[in-house]
Amino acid sequence: MLRRAPLRRITTNALSSPHAHLKPHLAHVRQTLLTLLTAASPALTEGAQYYFLQPSKLLRPLLVLLFSQATNGVGKAWEKKRSFWDTLQISETYPDEDTLQYVVKGERFLDRSLTQRPSVLNDWNPILDPHKHGMFDPDYWDELPQPIPPSAKSLSSPPQNGPPRIEQLPHVVNEILPTQMRLAEILELIHAASLLHDDVIDAAPLRRGVPSAPWAFQPGAKMSVMTGTFILGRASALLSRLDDPNAIELVASIVRCLVEGEVLQMGVGAEVDVGAVDQRRQDAWNIYLQKTYMKTASLMAKGCRAAVSLGGCVDGQDVWPEIAYAYGRNLGISFQLVDDVLDFTQAPAVSPSPTSTETNTLGKPTNADLTLGLATGPALYASETHPQLSALIERRFNEPGDVELARNLILDSDALDRTKKLAKEYADQALRVIEPLPPSEGKRGLEGLVESVVKRVN
């Protein structure tokens, strides 16, 4: 049903392990996320940190850091972005050979509230005493904050006619700015908040191989909703301090995409129940891919674009924001397609009961998508071979035996191979769009990340 233009094979010298390339940075992101989620309420702190204490890929932060390394120095406003951090004299404390520590000190500046008296916001600040500034303290007036240096302003220029062009291959400085490190953390906060809310909506008993937050805490669903909202609130405060309107707008719009994607997913069955069979299938594919972009790829695509914006790449003047967005979009869709295949290849033939602790290597309940009534790529492809599957899709597998029957029909077709092929096509397109990037470790990491997404088994 879905046809895409053939893509030529692209050979690269990709990093075999992009995670290893930025291992210290990702370790810093993981630790900082726990620090940022300390609240006045121990229960809220425990709930907010719960998923971050479980093993995770940190794919979204990795994307931001790799694209930062791959594009910093090529944007027309790079010097303006970089010079702001030079005014803080960070480099005098941490020379170039210790770039991570340079970023860490820069992040501490970003922890400062934009309000002249941070304690007025009653918001925890890692620079200050958490026991004094993380909760209401009648003596908070005793300690006045230090003056905040003027913030770097982003360029605001009208777009030129036609797409931006690459006049010459620019030089990449192979470093990461504090704002870009903070963006990586913000994206992971948003992702975690969406998981907390998703697990309430889906009544999911498991997440990352452990009981989901609604099952682990009391009162489960209420606490998960409040914790997810708390994390979004914390992410919003951190986002406001990036002082880049373009990046802020991009990241803020991610939340809208996540919500719209969830609503779209909830209403798939009602959207495709009229018209000819072929038209219904095409409509189902359109909805599926749109939902996949909104719920998975939008965070990656907009996160990559925000990262290059923070590095001085200007919309309408630089081509790099378009490249970053296209890469994240294609990689995100490929990632989800592979995930949808793994839901079948990693699960046993019989769906467990809702209270079962049986999981696949994805760390979630087996047959999760079918159990939730979701028709993903494999189901849509299989319906072409087994027309009776269409009726199950339309009623969202809600009758006894539907899940087992649908799974068997899918496994008795070439649906999984076709879905893998489609994921590979999106992955190849992600590689194609970053070809114009100058050679760098960041670019090699982006290439390696594509390979790891396609070949992943969990």
Side-chain angles (χ1 to χ4, degrees):
M1 288 298 299
L2 191 69
R3 297 181 176 87
R4 294 173 59 84
L7 298 175
R8 60 186 174 85
R9 181 178 297 276
I10 300 175
T11 58
T12 72
N13 60 341
L15 289 177
S16 59
S17 178
H19 285 82
H21 165 56
L22 288 171
K23 185 176 180 180
H25 296 73
L26 293 173
H28 171 72
V29 167
R30 190 181 299 277
Q31 184 56 48
T32 302
L33 289 169
L34 294 174
T35 304
L36 292 172
L37 292 175
T38 300
S41 164
L44 190 55
T45 298
E46 184 182 10
Q49 293 180 344
Y50 181 63
Y51 283 157
F52 294 100
L53 292 172
Q54 315 307 325
S56 62
K57 303 178 185 67
L58 294 180
L59 174 61
R60 293 146 193 88
L62 180 62
L63 272 172
V64 167
L65 300 181
L66 287 173
F67 242 106
S68 298
Q69 279 195 328
T71 59
N72 279 352
V74 304
K76 289 183 169 55
W78 164 252
E79 290 301 328
K80 185 173 183 178
K81 294 285 187 180
R82 184 64 175 80
S83 64
F84 167 71
W85 297 103
D86 287 339
T87 64
L88 300 182
Q89 299 180 332
I90 298 174
S91 57
E92 295 181 9
T93 306
Y94 299 109
D96 290 341
E97 58 267 20
D98 197 352
T99 56
L100 177 57
Q101 291 304 314
Y102 164 88
V103 170
V104 170
K105 185 173 181 181
E107 273 201 301
R108 290 174 183 165
F109 169 79
L110 293 175
D111 288 328
R112 300 186 182 190
S113 169
L114 299 179
T115 303
Q116 289 300 307
R117 293 183 183 274
S119 302
V120 172
L121 298 179
N122 197 28
D123 193 10
W124 186 73
N125 188 319
I127 297 177
L128 307 176
D129 181 356
H131 296 289
K132 183 172 185 179
H133 295 273
M135 58 196 76
F136 178 76
D137 188 331
D139 298 325
Y140 73 96
W141 298 105
D142 292 346
E143 184 176 350
L144 298 178
Q146 296 297 315
I148 299 178
S151 300
K153 301 298 183 183
S154 62
L155 292 181
S156 179
S157 303
Q160 63 185 31
N161 293 328
R165 298 181 180 275
I166 304 174
E167 298 175 0
Q168 60 182 8
L169 199 62
H171 173 67
V172 174
V173 297
N174 197 37
E175 66 178 89
I176 296 169
L177 294 178
T179 46
Q180 292 167 324
M181 180 70 83
R182 177 51 47 85
L183 172 65
E185 295 155 0
I186 291 170
L187 293 182
E188 195 65 11
L189 289 174
I190 294 173
H191 176 57
S194 72
L195 296 183
L196 284 161
H197 289 165
D198 278 354
D199 286 346
V200 173
I201 295 170
D202 299 338
L206 296 166
R207 173 70 66 177
R208 294 175 178 171
V210 300
S212 67
W215 285 61
F217 297 98
Q218 296 296 329
K222 290 182 180 179
M223 193 63 187
S224 294
V225 171
M226 290 188 294
T227 301
T229 305
F230 165 78
I231 293 176
L232 286 176
R234 184 56 55 83
S236 298
L238 298 172
L239 180 63
S240 69
R241 299 166 190 165
L242 296 182
D243 199 30
D244 184 308
N246 193 31
I248 292 171
E249 182 180 48
L250 284 166
V251 177
S253 69
I254 291 171
V255 177
R256 174 188 58 80
C257 282
L258 294 175
V259 174
E260 289 187 349
E262 184 63 39
V263 172
L264 190 63
Q265 178 172 281
M266 292 167 61
V268 166
E271 296 287 345
V272 294
D273 59 355
V274 295
V277 172
D278 288 346
Q279 184 60 48
R280 293 206 307 271
R281 286 175 180 165
Q282 188 60 55
D283 289 345
W285 265 109
N286 293 338
I287 292 170
Y288 168 64
L289 291 176
Q290 185 181 1
K291 180 270 300 180
T292 297
Y293 165 75
M294 287 185 171
K295 290 201 63 177
T296 302
S298 67
L299 196 152
M300 300 182 189
K302 295 182 180 184
C304 289
R305 190 176 182 117
V308 302
S309 177
L310 291 171
C313 296
V314 183
D315 274 4
Q317 298 183 30
D318 289 310
V319 72
W320 316 113
E322 304 300 331
I323 289 175
Y325 180 85
Y327 174 89
R329 182 184 185 277
N330 285 291
L331 185 75
I333 293 176
S334 178
F335 179 92
Q336 187 58 53
L337 287 167
V338 172
D339 199 75
D340 292 342
V341 170
L342 292 177
D343 191 53
F344 293 94
T345 60
Q346 301 298 324
V350 179
S351 178
S353 67
T355 57
S356 172
T357 58
E358 186 177 15
T359 66
N360 53 36
T361 58
L362 299 178
K364 64 181 183 180
T366 57
N367 293 325
D369 294 331
L370 293 177
T371 302
L372 292 172
L374 304 181
T376 57
L380 297 178
Y381 273 134
S383 67
E384 299 176 21
T385 304
H386 300 289
Q388 65 267 42
L389 190 55
S390 298
L392 278 63
I393 291 173
E394 290 179 10
R395 64 176 181 248
R396 299 176 69 86
F397 316 108
N398 64 356
E399 293 187 3
D402 277 2
V403 171
E404 290 77 12
L405 176 59
R407 175 178 170 78
N408 291 334
L409 291 174
I410 290 168
L411 295 179
D412 187 40
S413 71
D414 62 352
L416 297 183
D417 288 338
R418 293 176 70 184
T419 307
K420 291 177 186 177
K421 181 180 178 182
L422 184 60
K424 181 64 165 56
E425 291 176 357
Y426 276 104
D428 288 343
Q429 190 63 26
L431 284 176
R432 178 187 299 278
V433 298
I434 60 171
E435 282 183 326
L437 289 175
S440 69
E441 286 189 341
K443 180 179 181 180
R444 292 175 59 211
L446 292 169
E447 293 167 341
L449 189 58
V450 171
E451 182 177 354
S452 66
V453 163
V454 173
K455 293 183 177 180
R456 73 189 183 97
V457 294
N458 57 48

